[in-house]
């Protein structure tokens, strides 16, 4: 039996990736959205896999002990079967009905490797910190030069902004281009 917090982060059933936070079952990049109770039922089946989960257990875990009809549970199982490749109840591959006892998940549940779980936090690449520090240094020099007397400032005739190199992947190219354009427009506004 797998701990519930681990399952809530996501798990796999055969070729399917289950994402409980978003109520999604994914296969080959195609998403099928489940209703909340359907996902909760799937998580309960995964938690007890390979054991049989009775309707009473599902009522306790999914409906918090509130009265629920057997038909509501049947409809949840039907939705799960649809999401799992239209699993046939007469010849099941994923969810088996045990008459008079309940349901069981037939395929082992696997948890993704910790590094395979996508991070929700954004890490600023080291190259961005270096580029930002260089830009601040250039701006500081230019601003100091602009505060000097006209005779002292005459020593600098021009400032060249070279092209920044994208070290963060193609999806970050707009940041590199935008940073260079912003630096040029900021420098242009400085008199002399």
């Amino acid at each position: 039996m797998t701990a519930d917090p681990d399952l809530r982060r996501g798990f796999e059933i055969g070729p399917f990736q289950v994402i409980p936070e978003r109520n999604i079952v994914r296969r080959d990049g195609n998403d099928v959205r489940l209703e909340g109770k359907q996902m909760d039922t799937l998580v309960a089946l995964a938690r007890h896999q390979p054991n049989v989960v009775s309707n009473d257990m599902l009522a306790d875990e999914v409906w918090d002990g509130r009265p629920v009809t057997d038909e509501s549970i049947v409809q949840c199982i039907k939705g799960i079967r649809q999401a799992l490749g239209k699993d046939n109840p007469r010849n099941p591959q994923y969810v088996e009905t045990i008459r008079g006892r309940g349901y069981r998940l037939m395929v082992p549940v696997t948890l993704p490797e910790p590094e395979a779980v996508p991070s929700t936090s954004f890490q600023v690449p080291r190259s961005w910190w270096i580029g930002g520090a260089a830009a601040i240094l250039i701006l500081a020099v230019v601003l100091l030069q602009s505060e000097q007397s006209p005779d002292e400032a005459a020593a600098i005739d021009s400032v060249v902004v070279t092209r920044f190199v994208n070290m963060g992947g193609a999806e970050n190219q707009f940041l590199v281009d935008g940073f260079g354009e912003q630096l040029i427009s900021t420098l242009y506004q400085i008199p002399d």
Side-chain angles (χ1 to χ4, degrees):
M1 191 160 42
T2 309
D4 192 47
D6 293 336
L7 291 173
R8 285 285 168 197
R9 283 187 234 130
F11 57 96
E12 294 174 2
I13 302 171
F16 296 96
Q17 180 184 10
V18 181
I19 308 167
E21 291 178 339
R22 297 176 49 208
N23 289 344
I24 289 177
V25 175
R26 177 177 291 156
R27 181 177 186 173
D28 300 328
N30 297 320
D31 293 349
V32 176
R33 192 164 298 280
L34 291 177
E35 294 177 14
K37 294 295 184 195
Q38 291 171 339
M39 181 56 74
D40 292 343
T41 301
L42 181 56
V43 169
L45 291 173
R47 183 180 318 113
H48 295 286
Q49 195 278 334
N51 299 323
V52 175
V53 181
S54 70
N55 286 3
D56 290 339
M57 287 173 71
L58 288 173
D60 286 343
E61 292 183 30
V62 176
W63 282 268
D64 297 322
R66 292 187 303 269
V68 62
T69 64
D70 288 345
E71 184 59 29
S72 295
I73 295 173
V74 168
Q75 289 305 312
C76 279
I77 297 296
K78 185 177 178 181
I80 292 168
R81 284 187 171 130
Q82 285 292 107
L84 297 175
K86 299 184 179 179
D87 193 26
N88 184 345
R90 297 181 201 279
N91 187 18
Q93 291 181 315
Y94 299 103
V95 180
E96 180 181 20
T97 302
I98 311 294
R99 298 277 178 225
R101 294 198 49 221
Y103 305 92
R104 82 175 185 95
L105 200 55
M106 299 170 64
V107 179
V109 172
T110 56
L111 296 173
E113 296 295 320
E115 63 273 2
V117 175
S119 174
T120 56
S121 65
F122 178 73
Q123 296 282 336
V124 177
R126 183 174 180 216
S127 60
W128 289 14
W129 287 108
I130 294 169
I136 290 170
L137 181 64
I138 291 169
L139 284 173
V141 167
V142 170
L143 290 174
L144 286 174
Q145 288 295 325
S146 68
E147 291 178 2
Q148 293 175 350
S149 69
D151 293 335
E152 294 172 344
I156 295 180
D157 294 330
S158 63
V159 174
V160 176
V161 176
T162 61
R163 186 168 174 231
F164 288 91
V165 176
N166 179 8
M167 299 179 75
E171 69 275 0
N172 296 324
Q173 184 61 40
F174 73 97
L175 292 171
V176 173
D177 296 338
F179 185 72
E181 293 293 324
Q182 183 64 41
L183 184 58
I184 290 169
S185 66
T186 302
L187 290 174
Y188 183 75
Q189 295 174 6
I190 298 173
D192 297 328

